[in-house]
């Protein structure tokens, strides 16, 4: 049975104790000061004093122990005991005219704390009304109006009882109690499992108060579980970005608002401020099974400090090694080019064949070092980018004119298509005017990404054509690179933009590559808030799509003016 929060049950026991103390103290004082008239009028006699004393002793002994184990049962017993005392006091002080009806009606009102809103009033009032009606019938002083008055007042108080106490079940404390009850049941079943989890686990209610915390979370935060339980989460977990800057978004509030999981890498500083951890923070909402009502959130914290340090060390090593090795490789490439120059040296055809193979391998090695350096910078956020306003139609048209020669050497056709969800052009004075697609990008970086996709299309296409297209709507610019090559198996598509991932088939074994090109493309496109993906059918070809945020003409003009002003001031 549901009832009000424990703090209200504690107040109920205190009120019941005061009622019993009234009879004990009243009898004692009227006896000491010899006030028999008051004793008789208020039923302050030895019998009620004994009953009240028994109730007080129960509250201070058995009732106190029972309240810790079963607070509702303990409060119900106390209410029944004091109601009995009130019933006897009413009988001793004139029945329907007794002043203790006020006490009994108060007890009826307080009974709403036990969870049954209207039932207690009906049970008490109908029983008492019946008893007094029967008693009055036999003694000859029964009056219908008295019985109806008692029952009517009892119903009225029960209705008031219902509306007063119901609101306490609708406050966050109700959700807290539901969450606490659910957690208690889970703990009974899986306490050992939760305690043995190596990741930190923290559960909070809808107010952000911690209701459960496992030892791993206590170790990370340096807060004892007993002290942290009940405190606000933000006073226990000191979270910042990895660079120690304040968090831009409160993930806990975000999860509570959206009822959807969220995750991030953050820095956790312990209670003393002496240790910092890089943690993977995953927050999920706790929802009621049927109603989907939010009861709280559960956060899982995994210490990834060591992994992040190792990743940083690897990135620094790759960056340094790639930078240092590019210089001698470039020198070797230059000398090989000189050796193959007929104006500088004379070599036979066999030696030229060997030098050409060495030159191709050296170029491949140089490309590998360049890709390693670029990927390391992309992961560390050190990838240099200088975005400006670019009209993508004319930009791609010029780029295709440069790229098509590589495709033509292989006998492939190349075309450039503008069109899509908008009209491809409009008639003005008998001429077709193309729509203008503006975007804020670094043209050099974007050229690097598109060139990589185009070169891949040429590599893996034996016959047919490679198309570059431009479409868009009011919000998005879409670029696509389409080929008629061998296609990509469906199981490889989800991994295609991962670092060092290459499709393993007969086509890729004969074509060299570093496995970094598509990873770098993804990082470049993400610099500008874009998205890249692929759709492919084995045997029919692949289409790589790039979506970029589109600027309207007014936005582009304002941004161009701002960039011009900045360059002038510089």
């Amino acid at each position: 049975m549901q009832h009000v929060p424990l703090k209200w049950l504690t107040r109920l026991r205190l009120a019941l104790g005061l009622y019993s103390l009234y009879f004990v103290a009243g009898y004692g004082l009227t006896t000491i000061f010899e006030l028999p008239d008051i004793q008789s009028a208020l039923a302050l006699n030895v019998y009620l004093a004994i009953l009240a004393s028994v109730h007080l002793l129960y509250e201070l002994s058995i009732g106190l122990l029972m309240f810790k184990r079963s607070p509702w049962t303990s409060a119900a017993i106390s209410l029944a005991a004091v109601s009995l005392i009130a019933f006897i006091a009413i009988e001793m002080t004139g029945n329907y005219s007794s002043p203790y009806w006020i006490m009994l009606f108060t007890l009826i009102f307080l009974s709403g704390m036990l969870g049954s809103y209207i039932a207690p009033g009906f049970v008490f009032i109908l029983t008492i009304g019946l008893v007094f009606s029967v008693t009055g019938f036999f003694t000859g002083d029964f009056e219908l109006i008295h019985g109806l008055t008692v029952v009517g007042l009892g119903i009225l108080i029960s209705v008031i009882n219902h509306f007063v106490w119901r609101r306490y079940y609708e406050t966050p404390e109700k959700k807290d109690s539901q969450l606490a009850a659910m957690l208690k049941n889970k703990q009974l079943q899986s306490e050992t499992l939760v305690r043995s989890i190596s990741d930190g686990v923290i559960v909070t209610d809808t107010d952000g108060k911690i209701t459960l915390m496992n030892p791993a979370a206590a170790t990370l935060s340096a807060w004892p579980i007993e002290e942290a339980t009940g405190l606000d989460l933000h006073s226990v977990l000191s979270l910042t970005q990895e660079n120690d800057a304040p968090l831009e978004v409160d993930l806990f509030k975000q999860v509570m608002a959206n009822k959807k999981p969220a995750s991030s890498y953050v820095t956790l500083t312990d209670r003393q401020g002496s240790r910092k951890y890089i943690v993977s923070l995953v927050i999920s909402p706790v929802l009621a099974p049927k109603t989907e009502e939010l009861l709280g959130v559960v956060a899982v914290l995994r210490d990834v400090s060591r992994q992040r340090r190792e990743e940083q060390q690897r990135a620094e090593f790759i960056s340094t090694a790639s930078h240092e090795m590019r210089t001698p490789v470039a020198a070797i490439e230059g000398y090989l080019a000189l050796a193959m120059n007929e104006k500088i040296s004379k070599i036979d055809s066999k030696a030229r064949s060997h030098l050409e193979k060495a030159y191709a391998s050296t170029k491949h090695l140089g490309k590998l070092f360049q890709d390693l350096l670029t990927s390391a910078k992309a992961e560390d956020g050190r990838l240099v980018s200088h975005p400006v306003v670019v009209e993508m139609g004319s930009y791609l048209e010029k780029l295709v004119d440069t790229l098509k020669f590589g495709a033509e050497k292989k006998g492939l056709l190349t075309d450039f298509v503008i069109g899509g969800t908008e009209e491809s052009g409009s008639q003005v004075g008998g001429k077709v005017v193309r729509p203008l697609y503006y975007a804020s990008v670094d043209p050099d970086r974007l050229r690097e990404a598109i060139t990589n996709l185009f070169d891949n299309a040429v590599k893996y296409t034996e016959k047919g054509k490679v198309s570059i297209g431009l479409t868009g709507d009011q919000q998005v610019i879409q670029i696509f690179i389409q080929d008629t090559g061998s296609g990509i198996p469906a199981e490889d598509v989800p991994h295609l933009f991962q670092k060092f991932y290459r499709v393993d088939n007969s086509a890729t074994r004969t074509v060299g590559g570093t496995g970094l090109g598509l990873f770098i493309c993804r990082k470049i496109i993400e610099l500008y808030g874009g998205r890249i993906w692929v759709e492919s059918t084995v045997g029919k070809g692949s289409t790589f799509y790039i979506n970029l945020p589109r600027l309207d003409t007014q936005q582009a003009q304002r941004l161009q003016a701002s960039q011009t002003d900045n360059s002038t001031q510089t």
Side-chain angles (χ1 to χ4, degrees), residues 326-380:
R326 276 198 312 161
T327 302
V329 169
I332 295 171
E333 184 179 338
Y335 285 122
L336 288 173
L338 289 174
M340 291 186 296
N341 190 333
E342 295 180 354
K343 295 181 180 180
I344 296 175
S345 61
K346 299 294 182 180
I347 55 175
D348 59 25
S349 59
K350 187 173 183 180
R352 180 174 295 277
S353 174
H354 294 321
L355 288 176
E356 287 176 349
K357 291 178 181 178
Y359 181 73
S361 297
T362 305
K363 286 190 67 175
H364 177 70
L365 187 59
K367 180 69 166 56
L368 172 61
F369 289 144
Q370 179 60 46
D371 286 350
L372 285 172
L373 184 59
T374 304
S375 66
K377 289 180 178 179
E379 284 188 305
D380 294 345

Side-chain angles (χ1 to χ4, degrees), residues 175-408:
K175 299 174 184 177
D176 296 350
S177 63
Q178 291 176 342
L179 179 60
M182 187 170 66
L183 289 175
K184 182 177 179 181
N185 293 334
K186 293 296 182 182
Q187 286 172 338
L188 292 175
Q189 300 173 12
S190 58
E191 181 179 356
T192 303
L193 179 62
V194 173
R195 291 181 61 86
S196 63
I197 294 176
S198 59
D199 295 338
V201 177
I202 295 178
V203 180
T204 75
D205 57 25
T206 53
D207 289 333
K209 301 293 190 300
I210 295 176
T211 56
L212 183 147
M213 186 176 187
N214 75 341
T219 301
L220 286 173
S221 63
W223 274 85
I225 297 177
E226 296 77 12
E227 293 185 28
T229 303
L231 295 180
D232 184 85
L233 174 81
H234 295 89
S235 64
V236 174
L237 292 183
S238 177
L239 302 176
T240 58
Q241 297 184 48
E242 287 191 66
N243 59 1
D244 290 333
L247 292 175
E248 296 179 355
V249 178
D250 188 330
L251 292 178
F252 289 90
K253 291 183 179 179
Q254 178 181 312
V255 170
M256 288 186 184
N258 301 335
K259 295 184 181 180
K260 295 181 179 179
S263 61
S264 180
Y265 288 101
V266 297
T267 297
L268 169 63
T269 305
D270 67 9
R271 185 179 185 181
Q272 290 78 24
S274 57
R275 298 196 63 182
K276 292 184 178 182
Y277 305 90
I278 304 297
V279 297
S280 168
L281 176 63
V282 180
I283 308 171
S284 303
V286 180
L287 303 176
K290 296 181 180 179
T291 63
E292 296 295 313
E293 181 183 17
L294 181 69
L295 302 178
V297 299
V298 55
V300 178
L301 302 97
R302 171 172 294 179
D303 181 10
V304 295
S305 303
R306 180 177 177 182
Q307 295 93 310
R308 299 295 273 189
R309 285 195 301 270
E310 291 174 351
E311 289 175 4
Q312 185 177 0
Q313 290 171 355
R314 284 196 298 267
E316 290 177 354
F317 170 76
I318 291 173
S319 179
T320 302
S322 301
H323 182 75
E324 294 296 329
M325 291 179 181
R326 276 198 312 161
T327 302
V329 169
I332 295 171
E333 184 179 338
Y335 285 122
L336 288 173
L338 289 174
M340 291 186 296
N341 190 333
E342 295 180 354
K343 295 181 180 180
I344 296 175
S345 61
K346 299 294 182 180
I347 55 175
D348 59 25
S349 59
K350 187 173 183 180
R352 180 174 295 277
S353 174
H354 294 321
L355 288 176
E356 287 176 349
K357 291 178 181 178
Y359 181 73
S361 297
T362 305
K363 286 190 67 175
H364 177 70
L365 187 59
K367 180 69 166 56
L368 172 61
F369 289 144
Q370 179 60 46
D371 286 350
L372 285 172
L373 184 59
T374 304
S375 66
K377 289 180 178 179
E379 284 188 305
D380 294 345
R382 296 182 291 114
L383 202 59
V384 178
S385 176
H386 302 288
V388 295
V389 175
V390 177
E391 200 289 296
M392 299 304 300
S394 58
Y395 172 81
L396 287 176
E397 192 171 21
K398 294 176 182 177
L399 183 57
V400 171
D401 286 340
T402 303
L403 295 175
K404 67 181 181 180
F405 296 107
E408 291 174 353

